[in-house]
């Protein structure tokens, strides 16, 4: 069964790892949010892309969920010696990824091409694609600092500012990469990872044309809730939902995706919900171990296969 999964940061990487253990590599395409992408120290950083790549390559730092395990920060310390306010923590090995990416992008290659090159060199057999090849930046409108870019909100201010709104800079001129269109046309199902719906998934859905392409064929379109028991598994999702005027709950996430979904998965520990989706299921969605990730991927795929064969 060919699956396209839409993912953001750490939650997306966990599901992607589970799916990679359950599906043949050629059946898995991972479409990644690039709204978090930024320039730091002259380098192009694609944090969600790198989190997915490092996770699938077995390199990821298991404690943070991003960056490379055991990486050092000597280059960062040297930058500080030159007076740089180096608040964004780039590891020495991680920096190699950004150097190569920046060099190829500057030479005119697309992010899709550069990502293919990096994944190949890292020995990742699955297909990882950016949501778009042109720069899109998630801008966060905050009570305390006005509008700031995503990494300033998330890392520098540790997602503590109160969020008033979100804007995707550059989205109007973004387009869906051909490779994403091809993957969606071949997909048997689309799976939205338990990533932050507002920060990680909305930028993907906002790429002009992408939502229409998702809706064009009658295939399962399933989201997994990142909210369990009214709290986010990781990061600012629940806090932000409340700040944006929503209830922090699995049903509010479902309502947010609206008619995009025909299937919805939420955690087994949540109260059972009566939702308008034709297909809903409750599974253990909290993925602490690699076995948890594989288990969730397996049960979701088996469940989708059951209703596809009905
Ligand atoms: N997250 C942090 O909390 N602090 C950091 O200094 C930081 C650096 C960083 C460098 C490279 C990278 O790929 C990711 C990094 N992240 C860091 C994570 C990143 O900000 C977030 O995981 C995502 O953007 C949210 O999905």
């Amino acid at each position: 069964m060919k699956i396209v999964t839409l993912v953001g940061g750490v939650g997306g990487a966990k599901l992607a790892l589970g799916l990679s253990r359950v599906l043949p590599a050629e059946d898995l395409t991972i479409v990644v949010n690039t709204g978090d992408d930024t320039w730091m120290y002259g380098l192009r950083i694609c944090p969600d892309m790198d989190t997915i790549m490092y996770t699938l390559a077995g390199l990821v730092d298991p404690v943070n969920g991003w960056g490379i395990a055991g990486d050092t920060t000597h280059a960062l310390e040297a930058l500080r010696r030159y007076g740089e306010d180096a608040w964004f923590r780039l590891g020495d090995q991680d920096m190699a990824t950004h150097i190569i990416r920046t060099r190829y992008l500057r030479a005119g290659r697309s992010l899709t091409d550069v990502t293919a090159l990096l994944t190949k060199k890292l020995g990742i057999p699955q297909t990882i694609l950016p949501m778009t090849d042109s720069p899109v930046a998630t801008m966060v409108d905050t009570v305390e600092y006005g509008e700031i870019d995503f990494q300033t909100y998330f890392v520098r201010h540790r997602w503590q500012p109160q969020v008033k709104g979100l804007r995707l800079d550059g989205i109007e001129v973004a387009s869906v990469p051909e490779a994403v269109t091809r993957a969606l046309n071949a997909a048997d199902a689309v799976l939205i990872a338990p990533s932050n719906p507002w920060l990680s998934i909305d930028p993907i859905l906002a790429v002009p044309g992408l939502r229409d392409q998702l809706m064009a064929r009658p295939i399962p379109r399933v989201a997994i809730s990142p909210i369990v028991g009214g709290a986010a598994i990781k990061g600012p999702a629940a806090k932000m939902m409340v700040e944006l005027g929503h209830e922090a709950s699995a049903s509010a996430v479902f309502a947010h995706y609206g008619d995009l979904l025909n299937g919805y998965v939420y955690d087994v520990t949540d109260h059972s919900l009566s939702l308008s989706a034709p297909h809903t299921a409750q599974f253990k969605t909290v993925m602490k171990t690699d076995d948890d990730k594989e288990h969730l991927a397996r049960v979701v795929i088996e469940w989708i296969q059951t209703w596809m064969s009905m």
Side-chain angles (χ1 to χ4, degrees), residues 30-289:
I30 303 155
V31 177
V32 185
N33 169 41
T34 60
D36 296 12
D37 293 7
T38 188
W39 288 96
M40 290 282 171
Y41 325 121
L43 299 172
R44 187 64 177 160
I45 323 289
C46 303
D48 285 0
M49 191 68 87
D50 293 343
T51 297
I52 301 291
M53 286 196 315
Y54 296 155
T55 300
L56 292 187
L59 293 172
V60 80
D61 181 325
V63 178
N64 289 329
W66 51 267
I68 293 181
D71 212 352
T72 50
T73 51
H74 300 304
L76 208 69
E77 282 146 31
L79 283 167
R80 287 196 187 112
R81 206 156 55 208
Y82 286 119
E84 283 284 322
D85 179 14
W87 52 268
F88 194 71
R89 192 175 178 279
L90 288 188
D92 296 321
Q93 293 182 55
D94 187 27
M95 223 173 264
T97 305
H98 315 310
I99 291 170
I100 300 283
R101 174 187 293 123
T102 306
R103 195 173 73 200
Y104 280 108
L105 288 174
R106 285 206 193 284
R109 303 279 289 269
S110 69
L111 186 58
T112 299
D113 279 359
V114 179
T115 304
L117 185 137
L118 294 171
T119 50
K120 191 169 173 219
K121 294 288 185 193
L122 290 176
I124 300 167
Q126 292 81 14
T127 303
I128 305 177
L129 301 172
M131 67 185 201
T132 185
D133 280 320
S134 59
V136 170
T138 300
M139 304 299 294
V140 187
D141 190 13
T142 67
V143 172
E144 295 85 347
Y145 304 99
E147 191 178 69
I148 49 180
D149 70 273
F150 177 82
Q151 296 298 343
T152 301
Y153 160 76
F154 192 87
V155 174
R156 186 161 210 174
H157 297 305
R158 299 164 200 268
W159 47 270
Q160 290 313 300
Q162 190 181 331
V163 177
K164 288 197 291 179
L166 297 162
R167 184 176 69 83
L168 296 168
D169 192 53
I171 198 74
E172 311 77 26
V173 293
S175 60
V176 183
E178 265 176 39
V180 171
T181 301
R182 271 199 305 276
L184 288 174
N185 285 338
D188 296 307
V190 172
L191 212 48
I192 299 180
S195 303
N196 186 315
W198 280 264
L199 293 176
S200 298
I201 305 298
D202 279 0
I204 305 178
L205 298 175
V207 176
L210 198 139
R211 204 181 168 102
D212 290 344
Q213 290 183 20
L214 278 177
M215 301 290 279
R217 293 172 47 244
I219 55 171
R221 293 182 299 273
V222 176
I224 302 173
S225 173
I227 302 290
V228 177
I233 293 163
K234 193 175 194 285
K239 174 178 174 286
M240 232 187 61
M241 284 177 82
V242 173
E243 288 165 357
L244 292 173
H246 308 279
E247 176 193 85
S249 67
S251 58
V253 170
F254 173 76
H256 178 70
Y257 287 129
D259 62 2
L260 180 71
L261 302 181
N262 47 26
Y264 191 56
V265 172
Y266 58 105
D267 196 74
V268 71
T269 61
D270 269 330
H271 297 298
S272 125
L273 303 167
S274 58
L275 299 168
S276 56
H279 304 278
T280 59
Q282 285 182 269
F283 296 124
K284 182 176 177 290
T285 60
V286 181
M287 296 174 277
K288 291 206 172 102
T289 65

